[in-house]
């Protein structure tokens, strides 16, 4: 493929890029093919020269396909699959009191963090614990309380008569 064809291909890839980082890679190679130096390109795209050289190297090894971004795997998980399964089952089917937390009937993010630390020695922030619970298919909500000895007739009367009067005032 000659340089003009490559430039057209890079220009098309730039136009159809789905994210900023992909656009940046195609832009860098487009400028490189146009004759800009690595230093000039780095200044234009706001990256260091080494990054531009990495883009050029990837292009020279694999063509435009070498510029496509892979899926980032992210940071390794702290808990194993078995530990996550155990945690999910405990939170879904047991109360904190069942696993040794005194006088607690509802799980909170703080208790989940303490439980993970106690059982497996792994530290989580409450936000990290929330993300972990979400990945396990669990959702975090504030607990709602119900009265065990509430009279259903009196509750219905309150909802029907007393509460609407209170709302109006």
């Amino acid at each position: 493929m000659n340089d003009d064809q490559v430039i057209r291909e890079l220009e098309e890839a730039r136009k159809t890029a789905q994210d900023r980082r992909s656009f940046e890679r195609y832009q860098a190679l487009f400028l490189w093919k146009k004759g800009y130096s690595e230093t000039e390109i780095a200044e234009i795209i706001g990256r260091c020269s080494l990054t531009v050289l990495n883009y050029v190297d990837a292009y020279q090894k694999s063509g435009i396909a070498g510029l496509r971004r892979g899926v980032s795997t992210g940071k390794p998980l702290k808990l194993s699959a078995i530990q996550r399964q155990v945690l999910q089952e405990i939170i879904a089917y047991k109360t904190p009191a069942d696993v040794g937390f005194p006088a607690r009937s509802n799980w909170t993010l703080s208790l989940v963090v303490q439980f993970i630390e106690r059982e497996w020695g792994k530290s989580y922030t409450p936000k990290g614990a929330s993300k972990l619970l979400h990945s396990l298919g669990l959702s975090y909500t504030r607990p709602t309380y119900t009265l065990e000895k509430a009279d259903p007739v009196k509750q219905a009367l309150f909802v029907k008569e007393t509460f609407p009067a209170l709302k109006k005032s």
Side-chain angles (χ1 to χ4, degrees):
M1 207 184 287
N2 67 31
D3 280 350
D4 288 338
Q5 289 174 317
V6 172
I7 288 173
R8 279 195 297 277
E9 190 176 3
L10 286 166
E11 195 167 20
E12 185 60 33
R14 240 179 8 161
K15 289 178 183 176
T16 60
Q18 298 294 317
D19 59 278
R20 185 186 65 79
R21 295 294 296 269
S22 296
F23 175 84
E24 175 184 288
R25 291 169 185 221
Y26 299 134
Q27 175 76 2
L29 262 294
F30 177 79
L31 294 171
W32 182 69
K33 281 292 190 181
K34 287 282 197 173
Y36 288 81
S37 72
E38 287 86 5
T39 308
E40 292 171 321
I41 297 168
E43 193 172 309
I44 291 169
I45 67 171
R47 297 280 176 190
C48 69
S49 296
L50 181 61
T51 300
V52 174
L53 288 172
N54 287 338
Y55 294 163
V56 171
D57 185 51
Y59 172 76
Q60 288 176 332
K61 286 180 181 173
S62 307
I64 288 186
L67 298 175
R68 291 192 184 96
R69 296 180 62 217
V71 176
S72 177
T73 58
K75 191 174 181 179
L77 299 172
K78 292 181 182 180
L79 298 179
S80 70
I82 293 170
Q83 290 170 333
R84 290 191 309 273
Q85 183 180 0
V86 167
L87 178 66
Q88 181 182 22
E89 289 175 10
I90 287 173
I91 291 176
Y93 300 111
K94 294 185 177 182
T95 66
D98 294 337
V99 293
F101 289 101
R104 298 292 184 137
S105 60
N106 294 308
W107 285 101
T108 63
L109 291 176
S110 175
L111 287 175
V112 171
V113 167
Q114 290 175 41
F115 179 77
I116 292 170
E117 178 75 35
R118 185 184 76 190
E119 294 297 312
W120 299 296
K122 307 291 183 183
S123 65
Y124 274 85
T125 63
K127 183 164 180 90
S130 176
K131 287 181 178 182
L132 175 63
L133 294 178
H134 182 72
S135 74
L136 296 174
L138 301 170
S139 62
Y140 170 72
T141 58
R142 293 181 186 265
T144 56
Y145 298 97
T146 57
L147 300 173
E148 282 185 34
K149 297 179 182 179
D151 183 357
V153 175
K154 288 183 181 178
Q155 285 182 326
L157 183 66
F158 176 82
V159 169
K160 198 174 200 177
E161 296 175 14
T162 310
F163 185 65
L166 290 172
K167 277 177 64 175
K168 290 179 184 176
S169 60

